[in-house]
Amino acid sequence: MGFRKKNKSPPVLSHEFVIQNHADMVSCLAMIILLGLMFEVTAKFAIMFITVQYNVTQVLEDKSEPVNLYQYGPKDVATVFFYLLIAVILHALIQEYILDKMNRRLHLSKTKHSKFNESGQLAAFYLFSFIWGCSILTAEDFAINPTFLWEGYPHTHMVFQVKFFYICQIAYWLHALPELYFQKVRKEDIPRQLYYICLYVVHITGAYVLNLHRLGLVLLVPHYLVELLFHASRLFYFSDENKQKGFTLWALLFVIARLLTLTLSVLTFGFGLPRTGNQGFSLAEGNFNVLTIRMTCLAAICLTQAWMMWKFINFQLKKWREHSQNQASKKKVVSPKSKPHKREPARGGAANGVVKSEDKTSPRARKAKAS
């Protein structure tokens, strides 16, 4: 990891050197972009990386003063790249100063160590994104009326907070791809992480490009809450395996979030957008309200929710089997021991009123002794 002091440095530009110092390299690249603001020749290019582009000033009916709104465009790629660098640096800081210190105290195995780091990083991101998303929904009154999701489509203009939110979301999930290499993720964990990273990138970018940012934001906030609860519960579980109550609450909210996602998606693509007056396809106007795109988006969301429910059911069945096996093993250990069988009394013993003689000499010797 970057920011970590090493006693022995690996060869320059080797894989181990890049992995250990990747955060320092990325920090230098980000500083070069920031230094570009100091010179007039490079300032116009540096601003394209740092600030949000495509601002438009409009006068709204309910507000007397002009408002700065934003659209999307090709220059957003540069902005996403810069904040991808920032995400890599923040990832290294959280790993170095929080997660690594906790790992040293817990003494986890390699498998749990990898999952602990993954949950720690994602829990921090989900918490920040959930709070940020809730503040946007509260300020813009997105959640008051469901018809707000499709009324006035295409929603080509965004306020600063909405556009910057999407820029940061895309940048974070794109930064997770090189982190698979930087964090030395195990080969068996790479496919699982690639699946959900790619799903996030495709869905968030699709909502941003197709001017469905209202629907995307409303769906992301409850989803992030559920994922935050899961990863926080897993962190507590790694610290103490008896702390499993959070998984029960997560299971309940997970199902509710899936139903909410399907309901809002069907309402938007099946009933809301087909009834709006602005039907058609136009790249210049940012209008994608045609049947093919609507059905493609709805199918993508439904298939994703079905895949997530399938993974969820398999996870619950696995936990149920493990719980059943643990209960069965405990019953075997606690079960009372079988009572020992009564042995038949030995000949000459005290059974039935016969006193056992302690003299071990033969009867003939006893008669000779008596005479």
Side-chain angles (χ1 to χ4, degrees), residues 37-89:
L37 296 173
M38 300 177 62
F39 306 98
E40 186 177 355
V41 178
T42 57
K44 61 175 70 175
F45 299 102
I47 289 175
M48 183 175 61
F49 285 89
I50 300 169
T51 61
V52 179
Q53 304 294 309
Y54 303 104
N55 59 317
V56 178
T57 303
Q58 286 188 347
V59 179
L60 302 179
E61 296 178 356
D62 55 343
K63 295 182 180 180
S64 58
E65 298 181 358
V67 179
N68 289 327
L69 300 176
Y70 294 84
Q71 298 174 326
Y72 70 83
K75 293 181 180 179
D76 290 341
V77 176
T79 312
V80 168
F81 174 75
F82 177 77
Y83 287 99
L84 183 152
L85 302 180
I86 301 300
V88 172
I89 298 171

Side-chain angles (χ1 to χ4, degrees), residues 54 70-74 76 156 158 163 208-211 286 288:
Y54 303 104
Y70 294 84
Q71 298 174 326
Y72 70 83
D76 290 341
T156 55
M158 300 170 277
K163 176 160 184 175
Y208 183 68
V209 172
L210 297 176
N211 291 316
F288 303 95

